[in-house]
Amino acid sequence: MSKKIEVVAMIGAGFMGKQISAWAATHGYGLRIYDKYPEALKQAKEFVTQTVEFYFMPEDVQGDPKEVLANITYHDNIPDAVKDADLIIEAVPEDLELKKKIFAELDKAAPPHTIIATNSSSIPVSKIEGAVKRKDKVLNIHFYAPIYQRPMVDIMRGTQTSDETFDKGVEWIESIDCVPLKVKKECLGFVFNRVWRAVKKECLKIWAGGYADFKDVDRGWRIFSGMNMGPFALMDAVGLDVVYDIEMSYYNESGNPDDKPPQVLKDMVDKGELGMKSGKGFYDWTPPLEFTSEEFIKPKKKK
């Protein structure tokens, strides 16, 4: 097999990018983190540093946090970020043309052996691979947040992805203590993300159609599943702009009106109600947090 994966370049230091970076760093990998926005890089550095220093280090990772942090660099240009990368994971917004543009830049700047993967939640890498020459070295590698609670990763090939590339991707996922969910043939939504999408779609319909309050949907889900967050709180965590873009990806692929996200969701996005990152989405995320109140789980009885 070709060169072992030792250095990972993360392209995009947002919600998922910084989580993947921190998780990989705590498992002994060198990280090169890129974002064009200085504030995103600053926040990513704070998050990754705190994770490495104060959160956890797996027992099988040798060395102290200072050594781990010394092998993490932050970049505002792609060539510097990928020049020694063995694996690149793109985590930019869910926009096909943007991803193609980024993949083309990565293909030109990265070493010949480097695998280029997308963390897209809905776009198969086969729709992006036309932007690169190394079509045998592309993958979908899709994480679920928060990674420490959901250590599973969808992995899917492009049309020409080699067995060697796929096997190296699986091996890397396992090396960071995650379970690879292998897609046997191309599938919109991959593996568990397709299941989650079905839940999310029906929840949005119930809310948008006025059939039930979104809080009751979340209460039912929490009681049934034992999870600490319901679908609407999870959508707030992901970001409602991201949720809308993902739903539009499904709709654009199928053309089925039933797949089009409700206009009221778009209205929230247009008003800047994006969930946790804006302080308000379905829930109010400004202190004191509505999400943590006892009433969120069990409504108060009327006197």
Side-chain angles (χ1 to χ4, degrees):
M1 228 178 223
S2 59
K3 193 175 184 297
K4 182 181 178 182
I5 295 174
E6 296 178 347
V7 175
V8 178
M10 179 58 55
I11 307 302
F15 176 72
M16 283 306 305
K18 65 186 180 183
Q19 288 195 49
I20 299 168
S21 297
W23 190 260
T26 59
H27 286 77
Y29 287 94
L31 264 295
R32 311 288 178 255
I33 303 173
Y34 161 84
D35 203 290
K36 67 177 182 179
Y37 298 110
E39 184 61 28
L41 277 179
K42 178 185 176 183
Q43 291 179 8
K45 187 172 185 178
E46 291 173 354
F47 180 86
V48 173
T49 300
Q50 289 174 3
T51 300
V52 171
E53 289 184 337
F54 306 114
Y55 182 46
F56 76 92
M57 290 288 289
E59 294 181 3
D60 58 345
V61 175
Q62 301 301 313
D64 61 37
K66 290 182 180 179
E67 293 175 347
V68 173
L69 292 172
N71 203 14
I72 303 172
T73 56
Y74 299 83
H75 306 270
D76 60 4
N77 70 86
I78 284 178
D80 284 347
V82 305
K83 63 184 179 182
D84 65 344
D86 304 307
L87 170 65
I88 299 171
I89 301 178
E90 163 272 308
V92 303
E94 203 76 349
D95 181 298
L96 178 58
E97 294 307 314
L98 174 61
K99 289 180 184 293
K100 286 180 178 179
K101 179 178 179 293
I102 294 293
F103 260 57
E105 291 183 49
L106 296 173
D107 192 40
K108 292 177 181 177
H113 75 278
T114 307
I115 295 170
I116 305 177
T118 176
N119 183 59
S120 172
S121 299
S122 61
I123 302 173
V125 75
S126 66
K127 292 185 177 296
I128 309 170
E129 67 184 18
V132 305
K133 294 180 179 178
R134 64 184 82 193
K135 294 179 178 60
D136 61 321
K137 295 182 177 68
V138 298
L139 288 168
N140 279 97
I141 293 182
H142 172 251
F143 285 80
Y144 294 82
I147 299 173
Y148 73 93
Q149 287 184 342
R150 302 182 182 95
M152 57 184 179
V153 182
D154 294 316
I155 179 167
M156 186 169 74
R157 306 168 187 261
T159 63
Q160 299 179 41
T161 303
S162 69
D163 289 343
E164 180 180 351
T165 295
F166 190 81
D167 291 344
K168 286 184 74 172
V170 169
E171 182 182 345
W172 180 75
I173 292 167
E174 292 174 338
S175 77
I176 58 171
D177 296 323
C178 289
V179 175
L181 307 178
K182 304 173 190 176
V183 183
K184 292 183 177 181
K185 61 181 181 179
E186 186 175 291
C187 171
L188 193 66
F190 323 137
V191 183
F192 190 79
N193 208 41
R194 182 164 177 165
V195 177
W196 158 238
R197 193 267 166 157
V199 172
K200 180 176 52 174
K201 174 183 172 182
E202 292 306 316
C203 289
L204 287 169
K205 283 184 178 181
I206 290 172
W207 161 70
Y211 299 107
D213 188 276
F214 68 87
K215 291 183 182 180
D216 279 336
V217 175
D218 273 5
R219 289 184 181 110
W221 180 265
R222 292 185 68 184
I223 293 169
F224 176 77
S225 69
M227 292 175 64
N228 65 351
M229 295 177 79
F232 288 96
L234 285 168
M235 284 188 266
D236 271 357
V238 171
L240 300 188
D241 52 340
V242 177
V243 169
Y244 182 80
D245 287 345
I246 291 170
E247 293 306 298
M248 283 300 295
S249 292
Y250 284 99
Y251 171 62
N252 290 333
E253 178 70 19
S254 71
N256 184 347
D258 189 57
D259 286 332
K260 189 173 183 179
Q263 180 61 39
V264 282
L265 177 62
K266 181 65 162 56
D267 294 342
M268 291 178 70
V269 173
D270 290 343
K271 288 189 292 185
E273 296 175 0
L274 308 181
M276 285 184 183
K277 59 187 173 186
S278 69
K280 186 178 189 317
F282 289 105
Y283 293 94
D284 184 350
W285 295 96
T286 55
L289 292 181
E290 177 184 19
F291 174 74
T292 59
S293 69
E294 185 65 25
E295 188 179 0
F296 176 83
I297 305 170
K298 186 176 180 181
K300 292 179 181 177
K301 292 181 179 179
K302 293 182 180 180
K303 293 181 180 180

